[in-house]
PDB file of all heavy atoms in Angstrom:
ATOM      1  N   ARG A 123     -72.758 113.942  18.336  1.00  0.00           N
ATOM      2  CA  ARG A 123     -71.665 114.580  19.190  1.00  0.00           C
ATOM      3  C   ARG A 123     -71.236 115.852  18.476  1.00  0.00           C
ATOM      4  O   ARG A 123     -70.810 116.820  19.135  1.00  0.00           O
ATOM      5  CB  ARG A 123     -70.513 113.565  19.283  1.00  0.00           C
ATOM      6  CG  ARG A 123     -69.489 114.021  20.305  1.00  0.00           C
ATOM      7  CD  ARG A 123     -68.384 112.989  20.437  1.00  0.00           C
ATOM      8  NE  ARG A 123     -68.804 111.691  20.901  1.00  0.00           N
ATOM      9  CZ  ARG A 123     -69.076 111.394  22.174  1.00  0.00           C
ATOM     10  NH1 ARG A 123     -68.931 112.319  23.094  1.00  0.00           N
ATOM     11  NH2 ARG A 123     -69.459 110.222  22.499  1.00  0.00           N
ATOM     12  N   LEU A 124     -71.297 115.856  17.163  1.00  0.00           N
ATOM     13  CA  LEU A 124     -70.804 116.986  16.427  1.00  0.00           C
ATOM     14  C   LEU A 124     -72.009 117.882  16.033  1.00  0.00           C
ATOM     15  O   LEU A 124     -73.123 117.366  15.930  1.00  0.00           O
ATOM     16  CB  LEU A 124     -70.160 116.542  15.080  1.00  0.00           C
ATOM     17  CG  LEU A 124     -69.016 115.553  15.091  1.00  0.00           C
ATOM     18  CD1 LEU A 124     -68.654 115.202  13.717  1.00  0.00           C
ATOM     19  CD2 LEU A 124     -67.889 116.137  15.882  1.00  0.00           C
ATOM     20  N   LYS A 125     -71.689 119.195  15.905  1.00  0.00           N
ATOM     21  CA  LYS A 125     -72.807 120.122  15.425  1.00  0.00           C
ATOM     22  C   LYS A 125     -73.254 119.692  14.049  1.00  0.00           C
ATOM     23  O   LYS A 125     -74.393 119.668  13.705  1.00  0.00           O
ATOM     24  CB  LYS A 125     -72.280 121.505  15.381  1.00  0.00           C
ATOM     25  CG  LYS A 125     -72.353 122.218  16.730  1.00  0.00           C
ATOM     26  CD  LYS A 125     -72.317 123.761  16.572  1.00  0.00           C
ATOM     27  CE  LYS A 125     -72.102 124.374  17.866  1.00  0.00           C
ATOM     28  NZ  LYS A 125     -70.728 124.812  18.049  1.00  0.00           N
ATOM     29  N   LYS A 126     -72.214 119.321  13.211  1.00  0.00           N
ATOM     30  CA  LYS A 126     -72.497 119.010  11.851  1.00  0.00           C
ATOM     31  C   LYS A 126     -71.997 117.618  11.454  1.00  0.00           C
ATOM     32  O   LYS A 126     -70.804 117.382  11.560  1.00  0.00           O
ATOM     33  CB  LYS A 126     -71.852 120.071  10.960  1.00  0.00           C
ATOM     34  CG  LYS A 126     -72.033 119.895   9.449  1.00  0.00           C
ATOM     35  CD  LYS A 126     -71.038 120.673   8.628  1.00  0.00           C
ATOM     36  CE  LYS A 126     -69.707 120.070   8.709  1.00  0.00           C
ATOM     37  NZ  LYS A 126     -68.824 120.208   7.580  1.00  0.00           N
ATOM     38  N   ILE A 127     -72.919 116.707  11.126  1.00  0.00           N
ATOM     39  CA  ILE A 127     -72.469 115.406  10.594  1.00  0.00           C
ATOM     40  C   ILE A 127     -72.565 115.555   9.025  1.00  0.00           C
ATOM     41  O   ILE A 127     -73.532 116.052   8.525  1.00  0.00           O
ATOM     42  CB  ILE A 127     -73.489 114.319  11.053  1.00  0.00           C
ATOM     43  CG1 ILE A 127     -73.443 114.132  12.562  1.00  0.00           C
ATOM     44  CG2 ILE A 127     -73.261 112.983  10.295  1.00  0.00           C
ATOM     45  CD1 ILE A 127     -72.432 113.151  13.111  1.00  0.00           C
ATOM     46  N   PRO A 128     -71.487 115.175   8.358  1.00  0.00           N
ATOM     47  CA  PRO A 128     -71.537 115.353   6.923  1.00  0.00           C
ATOM     48  C   PRO A 128     -72.668 114.540   6.297  1.00  0.00           C
ATOM     49  O   PRO A 128     -73.061 113.503   6.759  1.00  0.00           O
ATOM     50  CB  PRO A 128     -70.184 114.742   6.407  1.00  0.00           C
ATOM     51  CG  PRO A 128     -69.358 114.568   7.644  1.00  0.00           C
ATOM     52  CD  PRO A 128     -70.257 114.519   8.834  1.00  0.00           C
ATOM     53  N   ALA A 129     -73.233 115.104   5.212  1.00  0.00           N
ATOM     54  CA  ALA A 129     -74.208 114.388   4.452  1.00  0.00           C
ATOM     55  C   ALA A 129     -73.535 113.221   3.725  1.00  0.00           C
ATOM     56  O   ALA A 129     -72.318 113.221   3.540  1.00  0.00           O
ATOM     57  CB  ALA A 129     -74.869 115.302   3.450  1.00  0.00           C
ATOM     58  N   ILE A 130     -74.318 112.246   3.333  1.00  0.00           N
ATOM     59  CA  ILE A 130     -73.763 111.029   2.727  1.00  0.00           C
ATOM     60  C   ILE A 130     -74.370 110.734   1.374  1.00  0.00           C
ATOM     61  O   ILE A 130     -75.639 110.728   1.241  1.00  0.00           O
ATOM     62  CB  ILE A 130     -73.903 109.824   3.700  1.00  0.00           C
ATOM     63  CG1 ILE A 130     -73.123 110.007   4.930  1.00  0.00           C
ATOM     64  CG2 ILE A 130     -73.443 108.502   2.961  1.00  0.00           C
ATOM     65  CD1 ILE A 130     -73.161 108.883   5.953  1.00  0.00           C
ATOM     66  N   ALA A 131     -73.495 110.522   0.374  1.00  0.00           N
ATOM     67  CA  ALA A 131     -73.951 110.066  -0.946  1.00  0.00           C
ATOM     68  C   ALA A 131     -73.326 108.711  -1.206  1.00  0.00           C
ATOM     69  O   ALA A 131     -72.152 108.501  -0.801  1.00  0.00           O
ATOM     70  CB  ALA A 131     -73.591 111.037  -2.047  1.00  0.00           C
ATOM     71  N   LEU A 132     -74.048 107.805  -1.812  1.00  0.00           N
ATOM     72  CA  LEU A 132     -73.538 106.474  -2.095  1.00  0.00           C
ATOM     73  C   LEU A 132     -73.184 106.415  -3.572  1.00  0.00           C
ATOM     74  O   LEU A 132     -73.858 106.929  -4.404  1.00  0.00           O
ATOM     75  CB  LEU A 132     -74.681 105.469  -1.779  1.00  0.00           C
ATOM     76  CG  LEU A 132     -74.410 103.981  -2.187  1.00  0.00           C
ATOM     77  CD1 LEU A 132     -73.274 103.410  -1.365  1.00  0.00           C
ATOM     78  CD2 LEU A 132     -75.730 103.189  -1.965  1.00  0.00           C
ATOM     79  N   LEU A 133     -72.105 105.700  -3.817  1.00  0.00           N
ATOM     80  CA  LEU A 133     -71.707 105.303  -5.203  1.00  0.00           C
ATOM     81  C   LEU A 133     -71.366 103.878  -5.198  1.00  0.00           C
ATOM     82  O   LEU A 133     -70.585 103.396  -4.415  1.00  0.00           O
ATOM     83  CB  LEU A 133     -70.535 106.215  -5.669  1.00  0.00           C
ATOM     84  CG  LEU A 133     -69.978 105.995  -7.057  1.00  0.00           C
ATOM     85  CD1 LEU A 133     -69.447 107.236  -7.692  1.00  0.00           C
ATOM     86  CD2 LEU A 133     -68.884 104.876  -7.100  1.00  0.00           C
ATOM     87  N   SER A 134     -71.977 103.144  -6.164  1.00  0.00           N
ATOM     88  CA  SER A 134     -71.702 101.683  -6.197  1.00  0.00           C
ATOM     89  C   SER A 134     -71.763 101.112  -7.581  1.00  0.00           C
ATOM     90  O   SER A 134     -72.454 101.744  -8.473  1.00  0.00           O
ATOM     91  CB  SER A 134     -72.639 100.897  -5.278  1.00  0.00           C
ATOM     92  OG  SER A 134     -72.263  99.583  -5.134  1.00  0.00           O
TER      93      SER A 134
END
Side-chain angles (χ1 to χ4, degrees):
R123 190 180 297 284
L124 304 176
K125 277 202 192 100
K126 179 196 74 152
I127 295 273
I130 295 180
L132 171 66
L133 178 147
S134 188

